């Protein structure tokens, strides 16, 4: 704890002025706290002593000025008792004014300087008041705008609440529909995964999948479009006497073409599959080969 404990002990004895110092626990924390308190108290005592000395100096100056004024009055054969009541009141007013303006003496210069300082303070206060009034007016305008917006928002809220009350049954229905659709979507996803697993397990030929059948159907439609002008051409050639070279082959290819047309009419386009497409392609090219004999 060091020598600080002796300083604290002396300070406590000085503060209690001969009375018994209350007991306290001697530890580093308490000693540090009391030491800091002692330092603050000593600094406050020094500041107070400076103020006391300043007041004593001013009192001495006032006494000197009073004696000087008293000497001047004596030389002029004037005294406070010889002054009229109005004169006494005027002196008191001057003294009170000097105290209010906090001047050192009652000379004209001191009063003028004090009045000038007071006018500056009044001007600053007036500027601050004008600034505060402007700020207040700005705040009032903002409050008015905010109140108008609040009124509009309140009306809009009432309208929305009415609409919400009217649309609540429909909203509840849509919510139920959404839950139902989500559950069905999850169910369908599970079924798709299950079916995909089954197809993978059975090692199904990808050519019978839907997208493959659709692709084959489009190819078949394209071939049928190409066969249409050839059928017209065939009918034209059918009216002519055929060559003696392979007439049976031409008849057989015409029979295959008729079979292809009947097969196309019997089965729907989405289920004919890759076999039909290959057959149509084969028949088409063989038919073109047969026509080359003419």
């Amino acid at each position: 704890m060091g020598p600080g404990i002796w300083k604290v002990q002396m300070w406590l004895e000085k503060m209690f002025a001969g009375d018994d110092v209350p007991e306290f626990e001697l530890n580093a924390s308490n000693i540090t706290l009391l030491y800091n308190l002692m330092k603050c108290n000593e600094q406050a005592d020094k500041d107070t002593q400076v103020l006391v000395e300043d007041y004593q100096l001013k009192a001495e100056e006032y006494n000197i000025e009073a004696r000087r004024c008293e000497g001047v009055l004596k030389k002029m054969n004037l005294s406070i008792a010889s002054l009229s009541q109005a004169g006494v009141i005027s002196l008191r007013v001057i003294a009170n004014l000097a105290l209010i303006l906090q001047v050192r003496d009652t000379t004209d210069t001191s009063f003028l300087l004090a009045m000038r300082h007071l006018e500056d303070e009044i001007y600053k206060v007036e500027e601050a008041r004008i600034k505060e009034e402007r700020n207040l007016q700005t705040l009032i305008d903002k409050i008015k705008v905010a109140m108008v917006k609040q009124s509009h928002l309140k009306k809009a809220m009432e309208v929305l609440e009415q609409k919400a009350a009217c649309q609540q049954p429909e909203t509840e229905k849509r919510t139920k529909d959404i839950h139902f659709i989500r559950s069905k979507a999850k169910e369908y996803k599970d079924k798709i995964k299950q079916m995909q697993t089954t197809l993978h397990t059975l090692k199904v030929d990808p050519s019978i999948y839907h997208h493959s059948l659709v692709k084959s159907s489009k190819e078949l439609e394209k071939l049928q479009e190409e066969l249409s002008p050839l059928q017209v051409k065939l009918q034209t050639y059918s009216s002519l006497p055929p060559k003696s070279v392979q007439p049976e082959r031409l008849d057989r290819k015409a029979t295959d073409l008729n079979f292809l047309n009947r097969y196309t009419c019997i089965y729907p386009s989405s289920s004919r599959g890759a076999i039909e497409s290959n057959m149509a392609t084969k028949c088409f090219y063989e038919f073109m080969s047969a026509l080359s004999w003419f």
Side-chain angles (χ1 to χ4, degrees):
M1 288 181 283
I5 186 173
W6 302 110
K7 293 182 180 180
V8 171
Q9 187 67 28
M10 294 175 61
W11 174 71
L12 290 174
E13 292 177 356
K14 180 180 178 182
M15 293 301 296
F16 284 95
D19 295 336
D20 294 336
V21 178
E23 295 182 358
F24 61 93
E25 184 179 355
L26 291 175
N27 53 36
S29 176
N30 291 338
I31 294 300
T32 302
L33 182 62
L34 290 172
Y35 185 79
N36 293 332
L37 183 62
M38 179 188 70
K39 290 293 185 182
C40 293
N41 195 357
E42 289 178 351
Q43 185 63 37
D45 291 341
K46 291 180 180 179
D47 296 339
T48 304
Q49 185 64 30
V50 171
L51 291 175
V52 169
E53 292 176 356
D54 182 65
Y55 290 149
Q56 289 177 350
L57 180 61
K58 288 182 178 179
E60 183 66 25
E61 292 177 354
Y62 292 150
N63 290 328
I64 293 172
E65 182 66 18
R67 287 194 293 271
R68 187 184 69 79
C69 292
E70 186 178 359
V72 172
L73 291 174
K74 285 182 178 180
K75 290 180 179 179
M76 298 177 63
N77 294 324
L78 293 175
S79 63
I80 297 176
S82 62
L83 293 176
S84 62
Q85 186 177 0
V88 174
I89 294 173
S90 298
L91 287 176
R92 289 178 180 175
V93 169
I94 292 173
N96 293 330
L97 185 61
L99 292 174
I100 293 172
L101 296 177
Q102 297 180 356
V103 295
R104 296 185 59 183
D105 50 37
T106 57
T107 59
D108 295 341
T109 304
S110 298
F111 278 112
L112 290 174
L113 292 175
M115 293 295 292
R116 180 61 181 175
H117 179 71
L118 187 60
E119 288 178 357
D120 293 339
E121 292 292 332
I122 292 172
Y123 179 73
K124 291 180 181 179
V125 171
E126 185 67 19
E127 285 186 346
R129 184 185 65 81
I130 294 172
K131 185 177 180 180
E132 290 296 329
E133 286 181 353
R134 291 176 181 173
N135 294 335
L136 180 61
Q137 186 62 37
T138 303
L139 291 175
I140 291 172
D141 295 338
K142 290 182 179 180
I143 290 171
K144 290 180 179 178
V145 173
M147 290 177 67
V148 172
K149 290 183 179 179
Q150 182 186 8
S151 178
H152 292 166
L153 289 174
K154 188 175 180 181
K155 292 180 180 178
M157 182 64 71
E158 292 176 355
V159 173
L160 290 175
E161 288 178 353
Q162 293 177 358
K163 288 183 178 180
C166 296
Q167 295 177 356
Q168 186 175 2
E170 184 178 358
T171 304
E172 293 178 354
K173 182 180 177 182
R174 289 182 178 179
T175 304
K176 292 180 181 179
D177 294 341
I178 289 171
H179 290 314
F180 176 76
I181 292 171
R182 285 179 178 175
S183 62
K184 283 294 182 182
K186 186 177 182 299
E187 181 180 352
Y188 291 153
K189 286 181 179 179
D190 295 337
K191 288 183 178 180
I192 290 171
K193 289 181 180 178
Q194 185 179 359
M195 291 179 180
Q196 288 177 348
T197 304
T198 304
L199 291 174
H200 182 71
T201 304
L202 297 176
K203 297 181 179 179
V204 178
D205 188 3
S207 62
I208 66 172
Y209 288 169
H210 176 71
H211 63 86
S212 299
L213 296 175
V214 171
K215 183 178 179 181
S216 300
S217 176
K218 291 181 178 179
E219 292 177 355
L220 180 60
E221 290 176 357
K222 184 177 180 181
L223 290 174
Q224 287 176 348
E225 291 177 356
E226 294 178 358
L227 282 173
S228 296
L230 294 176
Q231 287 177 348
V232 176
K233 188 176 181 180
L234 176 62
Q235 292 176 359
T236 304
Y237 284 117
S238 297
S239 62
L240 298 175
K243 291 182 179 180
S244 61
V245 183
Q246 295 182 350
E248 294 178 356
R249 184 179 178 185
L250 179 60
D251 294 337
R252 182 162 50 85
K253 299 307 175 184
T255 303
D256 293 339
L257 181 61
N258 293 328
F259 173 75
L260 178 61
N261 290 331
R262 288 198 303 273
Y263 182 81
T264 304
C265 295
I266 292 171
Y267 297 98
S269 60
S270 61
S271 63
R272 285 192 290 269
I275 300 173
E276 178 190 6
S277 177
N278 294 331
M279 184 182 294
T281 305
K282 182 178 179 181
C283 291
F284 174 75
Y285 286 110
E286 288 182 356
F287 180 71
M288 291 297 294
S289 175
L291 287 178
S292 64
W293 289 96
F294 289 92

